[in-house]
Amino acid sequence: MDRRQLIKWLKEPLKMSNKYSLHVVYFCTGCGIIEIPPSITARWDAERFGVKPVATPRQANLFLITGYVSLKTLKPIIRTYEQMPAPKYTVAFGSCPIDGGMYWDSYNTINHLDKYIPIDGYIAGCMPRPEAVFAGITHLWTLIDEGKADGYKKYRRNYSQYRSNQERLYGELGWPPRFETEGLENE
Amino acid sequence: MSSIEEKITANFDGIEVRKIEEGRIEVKTKKEALLSTLNFLKDEGYGHLGLVSCVDRIEEGIFELVYILSRYLVGGEVAVDQASLIVKTEVPRGNPTLVTSVKVFETAEPYERELHEMFGIVFSGHPRLTPLFLERDIDLPPMRKDFDTRKYVEEEFESIPPVED
Ligand code: SF4
């Protein structure tokens, strides 16, 4: 541990421990998943950064969406996101989740992922190399430090907007159940 | 022993058989004779249906269905000539119905479901023509050439407003 960070640890232990233990659930959509095995195994070793894959979304706090999102995969993405406990961060991988990428006019790929779930950061590239992933992760640290990675709060504040966008695609969603949104707007 | 081309022309009227290149034989059959052709070819040893696909020939007003058959064993021996047969048939675009080939080749089932979903071809007698890949109903099947993907994306996805904080 870096000694200069000791003060930070004493001041904000929760934030610091969040920051250095990113447990990731990889959502293997699209081509980006090819870059994940090298980045979590010996060659690039994501554990140097405290990034570790976990088995279920209920144990994770970082959600990596690796590539284009088709209509069929958006539904499990919403479900996975809702199952993760707060504080949770989402990072979208590659240019497809940003604006559709090369699937911009496809009838089955959604264009802007941030209309349906909040995204804390994007890693641009088609596809990003493991170095770019780590650049993204270290930038996420800065965002967490500055309190800017607050997508999960935004989701709660604007829950009805997100939900109505999701339901415009699918009709009635069924699961997850609709939360009571009263009183959450000001949180 | 006569070759497969000769056998086919001897058994069916009005069928076109053409050798495209070494190992590929094209068989053009009428829509009504499709099942009997497939049955006949299956008995001849072409027991593997690799693919059913469809070409939208919009200028001619037809859908061309393509069945690719191949064989591995001839009389218990590994086949020497591994030619694949490309069986083609046409259905009109206005009324795209065809009898299902599931009874001959069971592997045709998911392919026909896909063609039903993507091109709107109705396979009569198919056990379940339910959606396979798509999550929602699209009025015009999306793989048809007159489907305007750009317009569809604008109407369905880009009209959704971004979330304002
Ligand atoms: S950004 Fe490129 S690599 Fe990533 S999912 Fe899209 S097309 Fe594939």
Side-chain angles (χ1 to χ4, degrees):
Chain A
M1 194 179 76
D2 191 345
R3 285 214 169 169
R4 281 165 301 176
Q5 293 197 347
L6 202 57
I7 312 261
K8 268 196 198 166
W9 275 99
L10 292 174
K11 265 191 185 160
E12 294 171 306
L14 249 177
K15 199 186 257 178
M16 292 302 277
S17 43
N18 244 336
K19 184 171 140 182
Y20 290 124
S21 67
L22 292 171
H23 285 63
V24 197
V25 47
Y26 294 106
F27 204 93
C28 319
T29 78
C31 342
I33 192 58
I34 294 298
E35 293 295 325
I36 294 301
S39 55
I40 58 176
T41 49
R43 177 92 193 258
W44 274 282
D45 189 14
E47 245 184 274
R48 289 179 292 157
F49 299 89
V51 173
K52 230 182 126 186
V54 287
T56 117
R58 294 186 193 266
Q59 300 162 350
N61 63 350
L62 175 62
F63 191 10
L64 260 185
I65 298 156
T66 58
Y68 60 80
V69 178
S70 72
L71 266 181
K72 207 158 198 152
T73 41
L74 180 62
K75 216 177 204 172
I77 283 180
I78 295 167
R79 292 182 171 205
T80 311
Y81 183 73
E82 302 245 8
Q83 285 180 59
M84 288 164 60
K88 50 187 168 185
Y89 312 105
T90 41
V91 172
F93 206 93
S95 36
C96 285
I98 302 178
D99 63 353
M102 66 188 225
Y103 301 98
W104 62 287
D105 65 348
S106 155
Y107 58 91
N108 208 24
T109 310
I110 57 144
N111 285 2
H112 301 272
L113 184 57
D114 57 358
K115 287 178 183 172
Y116 312 98
I117 60 168
I119 306 289
D120 291 309
Y122 293 104
I123 304 171
C126 178
M127 59 195 22
R129 286 181 54 83
E131 291 91 333
V133 180
F134 298 141
I137 299 279
T138 40
H139 187 62
L140 182 65
W141 289 351
T142 330
L143 292 184
I144 294 174
D145 251 351
E146 295 167 358
K148 282 183 187 159
D150 59 349
Y152 62 100
K153 289 182 191 157
K154 188 179 169 198
Y155 189 68
R156 279 207 267 171
R157 276 199 306 272
N158 306 301
Y159 181 69
S160 47
Q161 275 186 61
Y162 280 113
R163 182 78 180 198
S164 77
N165 280 358
Q166 293 163 6
E167 288 190 341
R168 268 183 72 162
L169 291 185
Y170 297 112
E172 190 49 47
L173 255 181
W175 198 95
R178 202 175 250 282
F179 296 122
E180 287 300 323
T181 48
E182 268 166 49
L184 288 178
E185 273 82 7
N186 309 321
E187 208 174 288
Chain B
M1 202 176 120
S2 54
S3 72
I4 185 74
E5 287 122 301
E6 285 161 11
K7 277 188 192 166
I8 296 172
T9 31
N11 274 284
F12 292 93
D13 272 348
I15 199 165
E16 287 173 45
V17 182
R18 188 169 68 96
K19 191 164 196 168
I20 303 176
E21 57 180 21
E22 198 52 53
R24 276 170 194 237
I25 301 165
E26 181 194 67
V27 181
K28 273 195 175 168
T29 169
K30 291 263 163 16
K31 153 181 168 185
E32 293 78 23
L34 176 73
L35 265 198
S36 51
T37 315
L38 289 180
N39 249 326
F40 172 78
L41 293 174
K42 192 180 180 186
D43 292 341
E44 285 299 313
Y46 287 83
H48 175 77
L49 175 70
L51 180 72
V52 184
S53 75
C54 176
V55 186
D56 186 359
R57 299 205 182 278
I58 190 165
E59 317 80 33
E60 294 155 45
I62 54 168
F63 288 122
E64 189 177 62
L65 279 112
V66 185
Y67 295 72
I68 297 182
L69 305 178
S70 48
R71 66 171 165 182
Y72 302 111
L73 295 176
V74 178
E77 305 274 313
V78 176
V80 186
D81 89 278
Q82 298 267 7
S84 8
L85 288 183
I86 302 169
V87 182
K88 293 184 178 173
T89 188
E90 291 167 4
V91 292
R93 273 184 116 253
N95 175 28
T97 51
L98 191 67
V99 65
T100 176
S101 47
V102 171
K103 295 201 184 73
V104 190
F105 292 103
E106 264 183 53
T107 41
E109 197 214 325
Y111 294 121
E112 292 187 346
R113 276 172 79 190
E114 184 187 358
L115 293 185
H116 173 69
E117 176 171 60
M118 295 297 185
F119 289 93
I121 296 168
V122 182
F123 291 92
S124 55
H126 192 282
R128 46 167 187 171
L129 273 186
T130 48
L132 182 63
F133 295 122
L134 298 181
E135 187 66 27
R136 59 202 316 221
D137 285 339
I138 301 180
D139 296 337
L140 195 65
M143 288 292 203
R144 288 197 185 184
K145 284 223 176 107
D146 48 1
F147 177 82
D148 187 348
T149 47
R150 188 71 203 123
K151 191 163 138 259
Y152 180 80
V153 167
E154 263 164 24
E155 280 170 8
E156 299 290 328
F157 300 142
E158 289 183 4
S159 66
I160 293 182
V163 176
E164 311 275 348
D165 207 355

